[in-house]
Amino acid sequence: MPQGSSPPHRVAVIVDEGTNPFEVGVATELFGLPRPELGRPQPLYQVTLCTPTRAVRMNHGFFTLTGTAGLDAVDTADTLVVPGRPDNVVPRGDDVLDAIRRTHARGARVMSLCTGTFALAEAGLLDGRRATTHWMWADAFRESHPGVRLESDVLFVDEGDVLTAAGSAAALDLGLHVVRRDHGAEIANAFSRRLLFAAHRDGGQRQFVERPVPEVPDESLGPLLAWAQERLGEPLTVADLAARAAVSPATLHRRFRAQLGTTPLAWLTGERVALACRLIERGEERLDVVAARSGLGTAANLRARLRRETGLSPSAYRRRFGRAAGEALTV
């Protein structure tokens, strides 16, 4: 998605009977709030909540949503978001499924949050494709939709025009991934700072971690991660990280798996690729310099890693996300 003075990307969010408020909040927080800290002349996204009826009761009847647009609002959306709901054994209404189908049929992007994956499957968008949903519903999903290639132990799956997030927090991961895909790493980082949320967790990370809140404070990886992020340009290895944490590499690997759902090497590589993206966006054109400062070593490795992460070569990434004169971030 081009930067600069292009019109806002239109996002429609379908809110059906029993929808979880959290996922609706994620969509509106990410795509609906103004971002004056970006220093842009107009917002990057424009959100419309649309419902099949004039009043929709949210999950457990916490509140009733009114004053929304009808489902015809999906017909002008560039992206359609389908949040989850807990009663997934109850099929969605035909009007909701038709709105999802026709949005996808005209080439718009469709993304589900948490168990919204059920709706995408009911609409026929996921047959033969990879997808994910909350791990608690994985068995029920496989039974209902055997033709979908369910990946039940990842945070999100990006199939290009159809994206699915695993659970509530993973909805934020997928949302930031979409912002990064649309506008680059620098903008995504600005969003994450506003949210006080991790800027980048790879979609392949595990949904369930053994110890989301560390039982022993001094075993937290926070200080080690901050130390490493300040030294990405240095020849850091997993052994270096383990030595810094005063543990064996095997113990460090177990802690990363338990607390972050990934490996030390995968985390380190992801951080380096993200830094390389930010350097390119800020105007550094010398690939050898970007590779060295990000710790990726060589221009060849930079090209390979960037293409794997973003699908773009460094030159294509620069053309798409490089900052034009006068578009400097204010954060």
Side-chain angles (χ1 to χ4, degrees), residues 82 95 118 146 180 215 231 234 238 282:
V82 183
D95 50 356
F118 280 81
R180 186 165 52 251
E215 297 169 6
R231 294 165 175 81
E234 300 176 12
V238 174
R282 293 170 183 173

Side-chain angles (χ1 to χ4, degrees), residues 206 210 221 224 238 241-242 247-266:
R206 294 166 56 203
E210 297 168 20
L221 291 174
L224 176 64
V238 174
L241 296 179
V247 297
S248 69
T251 297
L252 184 71
H253 190 279
R254 286 194 296 271
R255 289 185 183 174
F256 264 77
R257 277 293 187 188
Q259 295 185 36
L260 299 180
T262 190
T263 66
L265 181 59

Side-chain angles (χ1 to χ4, degrees), residues 26-327:
V26 168
T28 53
E29 170 75 27
L30 279 168
F31 304 120
L33 296 186
R35 305 283 173 182
E37 67 271 20
L38 298 181
R40 297 298 179 105
Q42 56 185 338
L44 300 179
Y45 299 95
Q46 178 182 340
V47 169
T48 300
L49 300 182
C50 54
T51 57
T53 57
R54 299 181 69 176
V56 167
R57 280 169 50 88
M58 305 298 287
N59 182 16
H60 292 303
F62 286 136
F63 59 88
T64 298
L65 187 65
T66 61
T68 57
L71 291 179
D72 55 352
V74 306
D75 296 327
T76 58
D78 303 304
T79 292
L80 175 63
V81 178
V82 183
R85 66 181 192 184
D87 54 343
N88 297 295
V89 294
V90 179
R92 302 270 180 154
D94 290 339
D95 50 356
V96 171
L97 297 180
D98 178 66
I100 295 172
R101 291 188 191 105
R102 69 176 187 263
T103 302
H104 180 254
R106 62 178 176 80
R109 180 169 61 193
V110 179
M111 56 187 289
S112 66
L113 307 181
C114 195
T115 55
T117 310
F118 280 81
L120 270 54
E122 291 169 28
L125 271 61
L126 299 178
D127 291 341
R129 307 182 76 164
R130 296 183 308 122
T132 192
T133 192
H134 195 287
W135 60 270
M136 290 182 63
W137 289 92
D139 290 342
F141 186 92
R142 287 193 179 96
E143 183 177 347
S144 301
H145 306 287
V148 180
R149 295 161 52 196
L150 185 70
E151 298 185 4
S152 57
D153 197 30
V154 299
L155 293 178
F156 61 84
V157 171
D158 182 348
E159 284 279 274
D161 58 335
V162 178
L163 305 91
T164 52
S168 297
L172 280 168
D173 289 302
L174 178 58
L176 287 171
H177 169 78
V178 166
V179 173
R180 186 165 52 251
R181 202 175 87 172
D182 289 347
H183 298 284
E186 191 85 342
I187 295 293
N189 279 355
F191 273 58
S192 69
R193 286 195 295 272
R194 175 79 171 265
L195 292 167
L196 300 180
F197 191 76
H200 177 71
R201 291 202 299 170
D202 185 78
Q205 289 185 215
R206 294 166 56 203
Q207 283 189 38
F208 180 76
V209 295
E210 297 168 20
R211 196 181 60 195
V213 179
E215 297 169 6
V216 182
D218 63 2
E219 287 190 0
S220 170
L221 291 174
L224 176 64
L225 302 185
W227 177 85
Q229 286 170 330
E230 295 177 355
R231 294 165 175 81
L232 294 175
E234 300 176 12
L236 286 179
T237 65
V238 174
D240 294 327
L241 296 179
R244 175 69 182 181
V247 297
S248 69
T251 297
L252 184 71
H253 190 279
R254 286 194 296 271
R255 289 185 183 174
F256 264 77
R257 277 293 187 188
Q259 295 185 36
L260 299 180
T262 190
T263 66
L265 181 59
W267 177 85
L268 190 58
T269 301
E271 290 295 311
R272 284 170 165 161
V273 172
L275 176 56
C277 289
R278 294 196 298 272
L279 291 171
I280 292 172
E281 291 174 32
R282 293 170 183 173
E284 179 55 68
E285 298 184 358
R286 297 165 295 176
L287 295 189
D288 56 338
V289 173
V290 173
R293 290 180 59 187
S294 63
L296 292 174
T298 67
N301 189 42
L302 167 63
R303 290 189 185 93
R305 293 292 181 180
L306 193 66
R307 186 174 291 278
R308 180 178 178 182
E309 176 71 20
T310 69
L312 300 172
S313 67
S315 58
Y317 189 92
R318 182 182 299 110
R319 286 194 298 270
R320 182 171 182 180
F321 297 120
R323 184 179 304 153
E327 290 188 348

